[in-house]
Amino acid sequence: MAVGGRSATPEVIWARPERAGRGPRPAYSRADIAAAAVRIADAEGLDAVSMRRVAAEIGCGTMSLYNYVPRKEDLYELMVDAIGGEYEFPERPSGDWRADMRALAHQTRALMHRHPWLPGLMSPVYGFGPHVLRYLEYCLTCLDGLDAAQGTKLELVATVNGMVTTYVGNELATAERARSLPWSPEQENAARAAYLGREIATGKYPRVARAFAEDSGPVDLDAAFDRMLGRVLDSFT
């Protein structure tokens, strides 16, 4: 049984026709629908994305939209794949798989900052639309020079994406918290530094004291990202 175009059995959105049911040619494409949902999420966050809002954005009725996208989860899948289409790949990999994977990781980080809702949808559940499969094929092409089983290469891609997602998620959360505070980040950092200084001066945390003594300056987030990424890639050699 199906309700409003929604199947009661498992179904992959990409295996469906663009529009379910009989009638005229589809008035909207999946790309139109995904672009509308992405615009809403970029402007107002993922919680603002609903079938009603997307339908209004493209100019159709909510029930009509269900003929194109049976479930909200399918809408999320369209959104993730639409962002996958923003990757820019060279004509061919450089031949240095570490350099190529680094470049892709930096693109992923930039995409997530451009679309701050994306880390919340980074899941294999939403991971195999046409653009994402193109991305995955390119990753594996980059890894042709790595002497490892294909399954290990897939694990490498997943590990890199997991690291980037976690890193950017922390960056976004920190920025969001800073926007919500009644004082500046500099004031907050100064207060925390003073507290840590007092605690370390007690002598109860000698290893922490040595760690801060070695590098007490502000964290360079770009440099830290590169170091962590390098360690992940090195673990596969």
Side-chain angles (χ1 to χ4, degrees), residues 105-190:
H106 279 280
Q107 280 204 61
T108 301
R109 185 184 179 205
L111 287 178
M112 289 182 175
H113 277 284
R114 195 153 65 239
H115 306 286
W117 49 269
L118 185 59
L121 292 183
M122 289 300 287
S123 161
V125 174
Y126 305 123
F128 296 102
H131 285 127
V132 175
L133 285 172
R134 173 175 166 264
Y135 161 83
L136 185 57
E137 181 68 20
Y138 181 76
C139 287
L140 292 174
T141 303
C142 292
L143 295 172
D144 277 346
L146 174 63
D147 184 16
Q150 291 298 103
T152 301
K153 294 177 182 181
L154 288 173
E155 289 176 2
L156 187 157
V157 175
T159 302
V160 169
N161 281 334
M163 174 252 155
V164 177
T165 301
T166 301
Y167 195 90
V168 175
N170 288 336
E171 289 182 302
L172 295 173
T174 299
E176 180 62 30
R177 182 177 184 277
R179 285 192 291 269
S180 69
L181 293 174
W183 48 73
S184 70
E186 291 76 19
Q187 290 173 307
E188 164 113 356
N189 290 338

